[in-house]
Amino acid sequence: MNNSRKELFGSGDTIDLCDIINVPDRHKDGRHKCKVVYSTHIHEVLFEPYPGRSIGSLQIVRCDDMEYSHKYSDREKINTLFRLRGQCDDILIVKNNRITDTSISNIAFFDGARWMTPRNVLLRGTKREQLLSQGVIVESDIGVSDIDDLEKACLINAMLDLGEATIEIENIVC
C-alpha cells in the first residue's frame, strides 16, 4: 500500500496498517476480507465475509492493452473481460501472447516437477510475491501454447493458498 501511495500519489510518509485496522468482533471468526481504500491517506477500511467461489474452469481471453499494476477500486475493464467467460467460472487473461492472471488472482501452473507463475503478471499480488521469495514457485514465460504441457493450475491470492483452488488443465478453454 505504501509503495502504491508513493508511486500513484507522491506520498513520502508510511502508514502502518496495524495502527489503522481494528477488526470488529463480528469479523473475527471465519474468513473475511479487509479492503483499505486510500490515496494520500486512508479513506475507508471495510470488512466483509469472504465466501469464496468455486473455480473449476477458466476461459482464455485476450487483452493486449490491459493494465492493472495496482489494486484499483475501478475494476470495470476486468469486469468487462469477465463477462466473456461463457460457461466457465472465471477468465485467464492473456496479454501479448503471454498468460497473466485471472480476474481475482494470480495463477501458478504445475509441470510435474515445479510450480511456475507467469513472469508478466498484471498485478504482483502479495501471496505470489511471498511464494516467490520462499522459492515455492518460480517465474516463467507461459504462453497459451504451453498450457497443454502442464499438469494443473492453481489460483493464488491473499485469500487463496497454493493448492487450495486447483484447476485441471483440460478445464482451461481457449
Side-chain angles (χ1 to χ4, degrees):
M1 178 196 71
N2 286 312
N3 288 339
S4 294
R5 288 176 59 246
K6 183 177 182 178
E7 288 179 33
L8 296 171
F9 307 111
S11 297
D13 64 324
T14 59
I15 296 174
D16 185 347
L17 289 178
C18 292
D19 296 337
I20 303 294
I21 295 175
N22 183 19
V23 181
D25 287 339
R26 69 182 180 278
H27 294 291
K28 289 185 178 176
D29 290 327
R31 192 179 267 195
H32 294 80
K33 179 168 63 171
C34 175
K35 178 179 180 181
V36 179
V37 181
Y38 61 89
S39 60
T40 56
H41 61 282
I42 303 295
H43 296 276
E44 192 172 27
V45 177
L46 304 167
F47 292 89
E48 60 185 57
Y50 184 77
R53 62 177 210 233
S54 180
I55 308 284
S57 59
L58 298 172
Q59 172 68 53
I60 292 176
V61 295
R62 296 175 187 277
C63 188
D64 290 344
D65 65 345
M66 183 68 187
E67 292 297 330
Y68 196 74
S69 58
H70 298 279
K71 198 156 192 169
Y72 300 108
S73 293
D74 181 0
R75 290 178 43 92
E76 187 52 40
K77 189 148 192 174
I78 291 174
N79 293 339
T80 298
L81 293 176
F82 182 75
R83 290 189 283 274
L84 301 175
R85 74 189 182 284
Q87 299 299 311
C88 292
D89 300 316
D90 202 346
I91 58 174
L92 184 56
I93 302 167
V94 174
K95 180 178 178 178
N96 300 322
N97 296 315
R98 295 285 182 224
I99 303 294
T100 63
D101 305 276
T102 75
S103 74
I104 61 164
S105 70
N106 293 125
I107 192 162
F109 293 94
F110 189 66
D111 68 357
R114 62 188 176 147
W115 283 99
M116 303 176 297
T117 189
R119 184 179 322 279
N120 300 311
V121 293
L122 299 174
L123 181 70
R124 295 189 176 282
T126 55
K127 177 63 71 172
R128 177 184 179 275
E129 294 301 306
Q130 176 190 23
L131 295 171
L132 282 168
S133 70
Q134 294 171 343
V136 175
I137 61 176
V138 297
E139 286 185 320
S140 183
D141 290 319
I142 305 169
V144 175
S145 61
D146 299 320
I147 292 176
D148 288 336
D149 297 329
L150 302 168
E151 291 188 9
K152 57 186 170 183
C154 187
L155 306 185
I156 50 174
N157 65 27
M159 303 298 286
L160 294 171
D161 287 323
L162 185 67
E164 194 172 335
T166 302
I167 298 166
E168 300 300 322
I169 290 298
E170 58 267 15
N171 292 331
I172 300 177
V173 180
C174 291

